[in-house]
Amino acid sequence: MAIISFKLNNNLFLRDPQGTELGQRIIEESIHMIDELGFEQFTFKKLADKIESTEASVYRYFENKHRLLIYLIDWYWTWLDYKMDFAVQNLTNPIDQLKASLKVLIEEKQYDPNFAFVYEPSLQRIVISEFDKTYLTKQVDADNREGLFLPYKSICKKIASIVKQVNPNYPYPHSIVSTALLTVNHQLYYAKHLPSLSDIKYQPEKHYTDLYTFCESFILNAIEK
Amino acid sequence: MAIISFKLNNNLFLRDPQGTELGQRIIEESIHMIDELGFEQFTFKKLADKIESTEASVYRYFENKHRLLIYLIDWYWTWLDYKMDFAVQNLTNPIDQLKASLKVLIEEKQYDPNFAFVYEPSLQRIVISEFDKTYLTKQVDADNREGLFLPYKSICKKIASIVKQVNPNYPYPHSIVSTALLTVNHQLYYAKHLPSLSDIKYQPEKHYTDLYTFCESFILNAIEK
DNA sequence: AATATACAATAGTAACGCTATCATAAACGT
DNA sequence: ACGTTTATGATAGCGTTACTATTGTATATT
C-alpha cells in the first residue's frame, strides 16, 4: 500500500500537523471530538485534555479552531478530488464521467488505510454538518484570498467542465454543480433530522441510492441538450 | 395600512418581544447588529449597550442568542409564507403558482412598512448567511421537537404540494423544493463572495433575474412529466 | 393604598479564546 | 562529544462571553 499524503495550503496551519506525532494526534482526535460534540462545543482545551497535551501546544499548530475545521474539510475535498480522478479515468463518455463523479460524492465513506490518522466516516459527518460554517462568516473574503477554499472550488470546476462537455450550451454549469454539491450533504442531514424537507428516507442502505437517483435525474434533466 | 403581526412559536422566547417597547428595540437592533457583525461576533452585551439597556434585560426576552436568531429567521419565513399566499391567490394553473412562489423567494426584499421594527433587507442578508446555522447544530432534534423550524418546513410543504399538482408522479417533490430553497440563498452568497462556484454574476439588477432563470429551469426540467 | 410588572443596576462565576514565559528533553549540526 | 536548535510541557494570566442572581425603583393595575 502506497504511503501518500496531501499537501494542503500552508496558510491553514502554523506548523504542519502531518509532520509530527502531536500534529497527527491533533488531527485524529479533533475529528472524533468535532463529530461527537459539534463544532460549537468543541474547544482546544477539551482537545488538549483528551490528547494529554496543553492548549498552548495545540495553538502552535493552528491559529484557532476555525482554521483547524477548514483544514479538516479541505483534506476531505482533496481526498474526494483524488478519488474522483480514479473513478473517472478510462471513461471517455462525459455522461459516464458525470455519473462516476456523482457516485464518489454521494457514496458512504469508508475508512481509507492510506491515511492512518483520518477516520473518514467521522469526517464525512463533519463535512455534512459543519462545512457551510467554514465560509458563512464575515472573514470569507479574507479567507478566500488566502486560498482556503481551493479544494472545494476545484471539485466544482472539475465537475462543471464535465457538464460543459455534455452540453456546451448549458449556461449554468457551475451553479448546477454547486447546487448538487450542496444538496448532497443537506439531503442526508434532512433525512436524519428534518425528514419533512426530503423524500429521501433515512434507511441504512437505501438512502444513498435514492439520493443518487434524485441528484442524477435533476442534473441530467437540467443540462440536457 | 393594516396593523398586523405574526404569532410565532412561544418556545422561541421567554417574554414576547413584540408586546413591549424594549422587546421591539431588541428585534430592530439585533437585526442591524447581526447583519453588520455576523452571528458569531454578535453578543447580548453589545446589543444591550447599543439599545442602552442591560444584558440581564435582554435575557428576560430570549434564553440565548441562538433562540433570538431562530426567532428572526422564523419571522422571515413566516413573512414569505404570507407573501406567497398573496402572490399565488387567483392563479389556478399550478405551473403559474410555482413560478409566482419562486419569484417571491428570489426577489430582492424591500422594507415592508407593515412591520415597523423589522428591516427586511438586513433580515434577508441574515437569512442568506446565518439560516443554515440554526439547524446545523447538535440540538437540532430537540429544537425541531419544540417546533422551531415549522415556518420553513411549512413553506417547503406548500411549494412541494404545488409540484405534486404539476406532476403527481414525480417522486422527489420535497427534495427538489428544499434544494431550490437552499440554492436560492447560496447562489446569491456565492455570486458575491465565491464567484467561481456560480454562473450568476453579482450585478445589482441582473443577478436576481439570472438566478430566477436558473432555478425555474432546473425545477421545471426536474419535475416535467 | 397595596401590589404586580418591567426594567435598570450591580455583582459574580465558569468557561472560552488566546498570549506569554520558562524549563526540559530530544534531535541535529559540526 | 558539544553546543544549539526545536518541540513540547507547565504554568500563569487577561479580556471576553454566556449566563444567573439580587436588589431597587418607577409605572400600571386592582
Side-chain angles (χ1 to χ4, degrees), chain B residues 24 34 71 73 80 95 103 116 134 147 158 166 178 196 201:
Chain B
Q24 294 174 10
I34 296 174
Y71 180 93
I73 287 178
L80 283 205
I95 299 237
K103 195 156 169 285
T134 59
K158 179 173 289 183
V166 175
S178 59
S196 71
K201 301 295 160 222

Side-chain angles (χ1 to χ4, degrees), chain A residues 10-11 19 32 43 60 63 65 82 88 102 112 119 132 141 144 162 164 183 188-189:
Chain A
N10 285 322
N11 294 320
H32 291 138
T43 69
R60 286 197 195 97
E63 216 177 308
K65 68 173 184 169
Y82 151 90
V88 164
L102 199 57
D112 183 340
Y119 186 64
D132 294 357
D141 298 321
N144 190 33
I162 301 176
K164 281 186 222 168
T183 212
L188 288 173
Y189 191 87

Side-chain angles (χ1 to χ4, degrees), chain B:
Chain B
M1 186 151 304
I3 294 163
I4 42 177
S5 75
F6 299 128
K7 176 123 189 59
L8 298 186
N9 189 325
N10 286 322
N11 295 322
L12 285 167
F13 48 79
L14 302 172
R15 197 201 300 300
D16 187 353
Q18 293 190 83
T20 68
E21 212 233 300
L22 181 64
Q24 294 174 10
R25 275 191 289 144
I26 289 174
I27 308 265
E28 182 169 13
E29 202 47 56
S30 65
I31 290 173
H32 291 138
M33 289 191 83
I34 296 174
D35 183 25
E36 243 184 59
L37 304 177
F39 184 63
E40 284 75 24
Q41 299 309 310
F42 168 81
T43 70
F44 277 2
K45 180 75 174 58
K46 292 175 188 170
L47 173 63
D49 289 348
K50 191 73 159 271
I51 62 179
E52 286 175 307
S53 179
T54 62
E55 229 185 320
S57 296
V58 178
Y59 273 103
R60 283 198 200 92
Y61 284 85
F62 293 97
E63 218 176 308
N64 52 51
K65 68 172 184 170
H66 189 245
R67 293 260 156 158
L68 169 56
L69 179 65
I70 299 181
Y71 180 93
L72 298 177
I73 287 178
D74 272 9
W75 191 97
Y76 180 85
W77 295 120
T78 305
W79 180 59
L80 283 205
D81 199 326
Y82 151 90
K83 284 170 79 89
M84 269 182 207
D85 285 344
F86 264 87
V88 164
Q89 77 180 350
N90 304 325
L91 298 178
T92 47
N93 180 350
I95 299 237
D96 291 338
Q97 293 182 351
L98 188 56
K99 290 178 179 178
S101 304
L102 199 57
K103 195 156 169 285
V104 170
L105 267 185
I106 291 177
E107 69 189 355
E108 186 168 14
K109 305 307 181 294
Q110 310 288 345
Y111 174 63
D112 184 339
N114 283 307
F115 309 98
F117 44 93
V118 176
Y119 185 64
E120 288 81 0
S122 285
L123 189 51
Q124 185 182 22
R125 284 189 291 268
I126 291 175
V127 170
I128 289 173
S129 301
E130 320 291 354
F131 170 51
D132 294 356
K133 299 173 193 168
T134 59
Y135 61 84
L136 292 173
T137 70
K138 285 287 168 183
Q139 335 113 53
V140 57
D141 297 323
D143 287 353
N144 190 33
R145 255 177 266 120
E146 288 191 59
L148 305 195
F149 307 118
L150 282 172
Y152 186 71
K153 295 197 285 189
S154 150
I155 284 188
C156 182
K157 193 175 173 186
K158 179 173 289 183
I159 307 180
S161 87
I162 300 175
V163 168
K164 281 186 220 167
Q165 287 172 257
V166 175
N167 180 3
N169 297 317
Y170 180 64
Y172 304 108
H174 300 87
S175 290
I176 197 74
V177 170
S178 59
T179 299
L181 286 166
L182 249 194
T183 211
V184 158
N185 287 327
H186 279 256
Q187 293 295 321
L188 288 173
Y189 191 87
Y190 296 158
K192 187 161 184 183
H193 299 290
L194 300 163
S196 71
L197 295 177
S198 180
D199 307 285
I200 316 291
K201 301 295 160 222
Y202 186 66
Q203 291 159 350
E205 292 299 306
K206 202 164 165 292
H207 64 310
Y208 288 99
T209 57
D210 274 6
L211 178 57
Y212 179 83
T213 308
F214 165 66
C215 287
E216 187 193 283
S217 79
F218 93 73
I219 298 173
L220 292 182
N221 283 324
I223 67 181
E224 70 187 355
K225 286 177 223 184

